[in-house]
C-alpha cells in the first residue's frame, strides 16, 4: 500500500512531484522514490507490508531502460518473491488491457507519456488534475488533497449531485479541474497533454468453486504480508464469516476491533459469542471494543470529514476514524473489512421489498420529503439538472437485478471504498476487502433476487453459508454501521448542530444554499424528521470540507 503520483509537462516536475508526495506521507512512511524524464515525473511513498528489513526493492520500479512503474495496492492469487516480480506481472496484464485479481492503481512512465490503470471495483483511489491555465500540464495522485490548493474552483454541479445522490457523477469531484479515474480502466496522458481512457478486459476468475471455498480462498490470499493483522468486527454476517474463516485458517494473534456506538447493539464484546470451536486459534486473538458516543462524534467529526475529502451522507465516516485510530494504537498495519458484501449480495434493508416497478430515484434514494427539501434548499433547477445527469448515466427502473448492482457499485460502493482507504491510510493502515476478490463477485452474479432476499432477510447466501460454517449462529436482519444522528441530533447534540451550522453560515451563502430553508430543516431535526436530519448532516460535511480552520493535512 502506497501513495503514488505523477506529473507531466510541469514547469518543475521534480519539485512538484515531491510536493505532492509530501502531502501523502501517511500513505507511505517507509520509503519514497521518484523517477523523471524530459517530460514527466512519477513517484511513490511506500508502506511496506512485508517487514521493512526484508525489502530491498528500489522505487520507482524499473521494467526497462525507458519504463518506470509505481503502484498502490496488492495482487492476489500469485506468490512473488520480490515486488519487482509483482510489478512485471501487472505490467504484462495491463499493457494487454487485462484486469487482474487485485486492488491497485498502477502507473507506467514511458518516454512520451504516462499510463495509469485502476482495479475493477476502484478499491484503490486515483485522481487527476488538469491545470486550468495550462491544459497540457496534468498531475495525478492517490488523494485529491495532494493535488489541490486553497484557490481551486468548486464544482457546484458535483456538490448538488452529492446532495441529491451521495456522489458526484461522471467521474467528477468537488473541484472543477480534478477528476476520478474510472474503475476497471486505463488512462493515458501524453506529452501533448491529451488523455485517452479505455476499459480493461474483466478478470477471469474460477467459477466452479462453492461460495464457501471462494471466500476461504480470498481471505487466505488477503493474508499476504507479515506486519500485524487486524479485523474490523461488527455483529453483522460479513465480518463474522471472515472471523470464522480466519479461525479455520488457524490465524493467530489477530487484533480484533469492534465499535460500540452508544444506543446500538451491532458490536461484539466477547469473542466467545461467535460460537467458534473451543480449541480454535481465536483463543489467541485480542478483542478491543471502542466506545463511541455523542461527545466522541463531536471530537472527530470535522477532522474525519477532512480526511475523507468530500461532502457525504455517510454517518460512518467518524466511526471509521476511531476504528483506524484504535488499529494504529494496536500497531495494526493490515486490516480486513467486510466492504462490498452488501452491494454484491443485496445486503441493505432497502432491497427487501424491491419489485419490477421499483424506481431507484423515488423509491430508494429520493424518498419522502427529501426532494422537496432539496428543491427549496438549492433550487428546483439544480435538482432537476442533477436528476437529468443521473438519468443519462443509469437506468432507474429496477426490472433487472444487474441494473441495481450497476447503480450500487457507483452510488454506494464507491464512497464506502474511498472511506475505507482514506480513513485507514491516514493512520498508515492498509485496508483489505476479501469479498471483492477471487471468484466471489462472479458467484454473486449467479443469484437471482429471490435467492438473495427472502422473508425480509437480505444477502441470504451469506447467512446460509454462516449457518453451514457455524450452525449456532442465528439469522438476524442487517444493522447499518452508522452514527444514530436521528437520536443524537434531536437531543444531546442539537445545540452543537445549531452552533456549527451557524459557524458555516457565510460558506453556505457562498454556495447559494438557502439560509431560511436551513432554519426550517433545523426545526425539523428537533422533530426527528429523517430526511431533514440527513440533509443537515450533509450540510455539516460541506462545512467541514471547506472550513479552513482545520488543517487539510491533519
Amino acid at each position: 500500500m502506497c501513495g503514488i503520483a505523477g506529473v507531466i509537462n510541469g514547469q518543475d516536475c521534480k519539485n512538484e512531484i515531491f510536493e505532492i508526495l509530501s502531502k501523502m506521507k501517511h500513505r507511505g512512511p517507509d520509503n519514497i522514490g521518484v523517477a523523471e524524464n524530459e517530460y514527466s515525473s512519477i513517484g511513490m511513498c511506500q508502506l511496506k507490508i512485508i517487514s521493512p528489513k526484508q525489502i530491498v526493492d528500489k522505487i520507482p520500479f524499473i521494467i526497462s531502460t525507458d519504463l518506470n512503474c509505481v503502484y498502490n495496492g496488492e495482487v492476489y492469487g500469485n506468490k512473488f518473491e520480490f515486488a519487482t516480480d509483482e510489478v512485471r506481472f501487472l505490467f504484462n496484464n495491463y499493457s494487454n488491457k487485462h484486469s487482474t485479481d487485485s486492488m491497485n492503481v498502477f502507473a507506467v512512465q514511458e518516454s512520451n507519456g504516462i499510463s495509469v490503470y485502476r482495479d475493477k471495483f476502484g478499491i484503490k483511489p486515483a485522481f487527476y488534475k488538469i491545470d486550468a491555465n495550462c491544459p497540457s500540464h496534468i498531475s495525478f495522485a492517490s488523494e485529491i488533497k495532494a493535488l489541490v490548493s486553497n484557490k481551486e474552483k468548486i464544482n457546484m454541479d458535483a456538490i448538488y449531485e452529492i446532495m441529491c445522490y451521495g456522489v458526484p457523477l461522471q467521474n467528477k469531484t468537488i473541484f472543477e479541474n480534478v477528476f476520478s479515474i474510472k474503475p476497471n480502466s486505463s488512462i493515458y496522458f501524453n506529452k501533448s497533454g491529451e488523455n485517452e481512457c479505455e476499459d480493461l478486459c474483466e478478470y477471469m476468475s474460477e467459477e466452479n468453486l462453492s461460495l464457501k471455498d471462494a471466500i476461504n480462498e480470498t481471505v487466505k490470499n488477503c493474508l499476504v504480508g507479515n506486519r500485524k493483522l487486524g479485523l474490523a468486527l461488527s455483529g453483522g454476517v460479513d465480518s463474522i464469516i471472515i472471523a470464522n474463516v480466519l479461525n479455520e485458517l488457524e490465524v493467530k494473534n489477530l487484533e480484533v476491533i469492534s465499535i460500540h456506538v452508544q444506543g446500538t447493539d451491532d458490536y461484539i464484546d466477547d469473542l466467545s459469542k461467535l460460537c467458534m470451536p473451543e480449541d480454535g486459534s481465536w483463543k489467541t486473538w485480542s478483542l478491543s471494543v471502542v466506545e463511541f458516543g455523542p461527545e466522541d462524534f463531536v471530537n472527530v467529526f470535522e477532522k474525519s470529514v477532512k480526511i475523507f475529502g468530500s461532502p457525504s451522507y455517510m454517518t460512518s465516516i467518524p466511526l471509521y476514524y476511531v476504528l483506524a485510530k484504535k488499529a494504529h494504537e494496536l500497531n495494526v498495519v493490515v486490516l480486513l473489512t467486510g466492504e462490498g458484501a452488501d452491494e454484491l449480495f443485496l445486503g441493505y434493508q432497502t432491497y427487501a421489498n424491491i419489485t419490477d416497478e421499483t424506481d431507484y430515484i423515488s423509491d430508494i434514494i429520493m424518498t419522502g420529503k427529501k426532494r422537496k427539501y432539496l428543491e427549496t434548499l438549492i433550487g428546483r433547477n439544480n435538482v432537476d439538472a442533477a436528476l437529468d445527469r443521473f438519468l443519462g448515466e443509469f437506468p432507474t427502473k429496477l426490472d433487472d437485478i444487474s441494473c441495481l448492482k450497476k447503480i450500487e457499485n457507483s452510488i454506494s460502493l464507491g464512497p464506502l471504498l474511498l472511506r475505507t482507504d482514506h480513513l485507514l491510510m491516514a493512520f498508515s493502515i492498509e485496508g483489505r476487502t476479501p469479498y471483492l476478490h477471487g471468484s466471489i463477485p462472479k458467484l454473486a452474479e449467479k443469484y437471482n433476487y429471490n435467492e438473495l432476499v427472502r422473508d425480509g432477510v437480505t444477502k441470504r447466501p451469506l447467512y446460509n453459508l454462516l449457518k453451514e460454517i457455524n450452525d449456532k449462529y442465528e439469522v438476524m436482519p442487517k444493522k447499518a454501521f452508522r452514527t444514530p444522528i436521528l437520536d443524537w441530533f434531536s437531543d444531546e447534540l442539537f445545540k452543537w448542530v445549531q452552533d456549527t451550522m451557524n459557524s458555516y453560515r457565510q460558506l453556505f451563502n457562498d454556495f447559494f444554499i438557502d439560509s431560511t430553508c436551513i432554519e426550517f430543516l433545523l426545526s425539523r431535526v428537533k422533530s426527528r424528521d429523517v430526511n431533514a436530519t440527513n440533509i443537515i448532516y450533509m450540510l455539516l460535511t460541506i462545512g467541514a470540507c471547506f472550513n479552513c480552520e482545520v488543517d487539510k493535512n491533519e
Side-chain angles (χ1 to χ4, degrees):
M1 184 68 68
C2 308
I4 67 170
V7 179
I8 190 164
N9 293 327
Q11 291 185 345
D12 187 346
C13 288
K14 185 175 182 179
N15 281 340
E16 185 176 351
I17 196 79
F18 274 112
E19 182 180 352
I20 293 173
L21 291 173
S22 71
K23 296 178 182 178
M24 299 191 295
K25 58 187 177 182
H26 50 277
R27 299 187 70 92
D30 297 325
N31 198 5
I32 190 170
V34 166
E36 55 184 325
N37 61 25
E38 184 179 358
Y39 301 102
S40 66
S41 291
I42 62 170
M44 62 187 290
C45 47
Q46 187 178 34
L47 173 66
K48 296 177 179 177
I49 302 307
I50 307 295
S51 177
K53 295 181 180 178
Q54 299 178 21
I55 294 292
V56 295
D57 293 293
K58 180 182 178 181
I59 58 172
F61 302 99
I62 300 172
I63 292 181
S64 65
T65 54
D66 61 347
L67 291 177
N68 298 301
C69 300
V70 293
Y71 83 109
N72 165 30
E74 303 290 342
V75 177
Y76 298 120
N78 296 272
K79 292 186 177 180
F80 303 100
E81 185 175 359
F82 298 103
T84 47
D85 299 327
E86 188 173 356
V87 167
R88 290 182 186 279
F89 171 84
L90 286 170
F91 177 75
N92 290 334
N93 277 273
Y94 281 145
S95 59
N96 290 307
K97 305 304 178 186
H98 286 288
S99 186
T100 61
D101 184 18
S102 62
M103 56 164 197
N104 70 79
V105 176
F106 183 77
V108 182
Q109 180 189 43
E110 307 166 32
S111 57
N112 293 318
I114 299 175
S115 296
V116 185
Y117 306 85
R118 194 174 180 202
D119 67 70
K120 176 181 177 180
F121 289 103
I123 301 171
K124 304 320 306 169
F127 304 94
Y128 67 96
K129 175 184 175 181
I130 300 174
D131 190 328
N133 298 315
C134 179
S136 64
H137 173 208
I138 298 172
S139 53
F140 70 88
S142 300
E143 297 184 7
I144 292 177
K145 71 177 182 182
L147 299 173
V148 300
S149 68
N150 291 332
K151 298 179 181 179
E152 299 297 331
K153 186 176 180 181
I154 305 302
N155 187 331
M156 290 308 300
D157 282 348
I159 297 294
Y160 296 146
E161 289 165 4
I162 294 171
M163 294 179 74
C164 289
Y165 312 116
V167 295
L169 304 176
Q170 301 164 335
N171 303 315
K172 294 193 290 290
T173 73
I174 59 176
F175 298 107
E176 282 280 2
N177 297 307
V178 182
F179 305 89
S180 174
I181 296 176
K182 189 172 70 169
N184 201 49
S185 74
S186 67
I187 188 166
Y188 177 69
F189 305 109
N190 67 24
K191 65 182 181 181
S192 300
E194 299 168 346
N195 63 79
E196 180 181 346
C197 187
E198 292 184 74
D199 291 337
L200 299 175
C201 297
E202 196 160 321
Y203 164 72
M204 301 303 293
S205 61
E206 172 60 58
E207 296 185 40
N208 294 323
L209 294 176
S210 67
L211 182 58
K212 179 181 179 181
D213 289 341
I215 292 177
N216 281 14
E217 181 180 79
T218 57
V219 172
K220 183 178 180 180
N221 288 340
C222 285
L223 300 181
V224 62
N226 61 8
R227 306 291 293 271
K228 183 170 277 193
L229 180 70
L231 170 66
L233 180 67
S234 69
V237 63
D238 314 333
S239 58
I240 291 177
I241 285 177
I242 296 175
N244 277 269
V245 173
L246 291 170
N247 182 63
E248 286 187 15
L249 294 171
E250 299 183 353
V251 172
K252 296 181 178 179
N253 303 317
L254 182 72
E255 292 288 354
V256 182
I257 306 169
S258 195
I259 308 298
H260 177 208
V261 181
Q262 181 180 307
T264 71
D265 59 359
D266 187 31
Y267 74 108
I268 298 295
D269 61 356
D270 186 343
L271 291 175
S272 66
K273 291 182 178 180
L274 300 182
C275 303
M276 293 185 289
E278 281 297 318
D279 58 351
S281 65
W282 69 270
K283 289 279 193 175
T284 69
W285 300 355
S286 297
L287 172 64
S288 299
V289 177
V290 180
E291 300 292 338
F292 187 85
E295 185 176 346
D296 303 298
F297 175 88
V298 170
N299 289 338
V300 306
F301 170 74
E302 203 163 84
K303 66 181 73 172
S304 65
V305 173
K306 279 287 184 184
I307 291 169
F308 180 69
S310 177
S312 177
Y313 281 112
M314 289 191 297
T315 64
S316 59
I317 291 173
L319 300 178
Y320 243 82
Y321 180 90
V322 297
L323 170 67
K325 185 172 183 290
K326 172 52 71 172
H328 178 71
E329 291 170 357
L330 296 171
N331 298 314
V332 169
V333 178
V334 174
L335 187 73
L336 302 185
T337 77
E339 256 68 71
D342 288 318
E343 287 73 25
L344 292 178
F345 295 95
L346 299 191
Y348 297 112
Q349 208 58 38
T350 51
Y351 301 150
N353 299 303
I354 285 177
T355 70
D356 290 348
E357 299 302 315
T358 299
D359 182 87
Y360 190 84
I361 297 292
S362 60
D363 296 326
I364 295 180
I365 205 165
M366 200 79 86
T367 57
K369 298 178 180 178
K370 179 179 176 181
R371 180 165 183 166
K372 178 182 177 182
Y373 289 162
L374 287 175
E375 287 177 347
T376 305
L377 191 66
I378 60 177
R380 179 176 295 177
N381 290 342
N382 290 320
V383 174
D384 288 345
L387 174 59
D388 288 343
R389 291 191 292 272
F390 186 96
L391 294 174
E393 191 162 349
F394 301 108
T396 62
K397 284 295 182 184
L398 305 181
D399 51 355
D400 183 343
I401 193 173
S402 63
C403 295
L404 175 60
K405 289 188 175 183
K406 178 184 177 182
I407 297 173
E408 286 298 280
N409 281 345
S410 296
I411 300 298
S412 175
L413 183 59
L416 291 175
L417 293 174
L418 187 67
R419 176 204 66 187
T420 300
D421 176 88
H422 279 19
L423 271 296
L424 291 179
M425 285 308 297
F427 291 90
S428 304
I429 297 168
E430 174 173 291
R432 294 183 183 170
T433 54
Y435 287 104
L436 297 178
H437 296 292
S439 303
I440 299 175
K442 278 294 183 184
L443 290 174
E445 290 179 5
K446 294 183 177 181
Y447 295 103
N448 62 42
Y449 176 80
N450 292 325
E451 291 172 317
L452 292 167
V453 181
R454 190 170 69 253
D455 300 330
V457 177
T458 57
K459 53 184 174 187
R460 270 286 182 175
L462 293 184
Y463 281 106
N464 294 340
L465 174 60
L466 185 52
K467 291 293 286 185
E468 178 186 341
I469 295 172
N470 187 338
D471 60 8
K472 296 179 181 179
Y473 184 82
E474 294 185 8
V475 173
M476 294 183 295
K478 174 182 171 58
K479 298 177 181 178
F481 183 61
R482 296 171 183 164
T483 302
I485 57 172
L486 190 65
D487 297 328
W488 292 2
F489 281 14
S490 63
D491 192 9
E492 297 110 304
L493 294 184
F494 184 72
K495 187 177 187 307
W496 174 84
V497 170
Q498 281 186 309
D499 292 344
T500 307
M501 290 294 290
N502 283 332
S503 72
Y504 298 150
R505 185 177 296 275
Q506 184 56 54
L507 186 147
F508 295 145
N509 288 338
D510 294 341
F511 279 28
F512 306 104
I513 295 173
D514 187 272
S515 58
T516 303
C517 184
I518 291 176
E519 293 302 321
F520 170 75
L521 291 175
L522 283 171
S523 71
R524 298 301 301 158
V525 167
K526 193 68 175 173
S527 302
R528 297 174 58 84
D529 182 320
V530 173
N531 289 300
T533 303
N534 288 336
I535 293 172
I536 286 295
Y537 178 84
M538 166 62 72
L539 292 172
L540 287 168
T541 67
I542 291 174
C545 273
F546 298 102
N547 178 19
C548 296
E549 292 180 0
V550 173
D551 183 3
K552 290 186 176 182
N553 294 321
E554 188 168 4

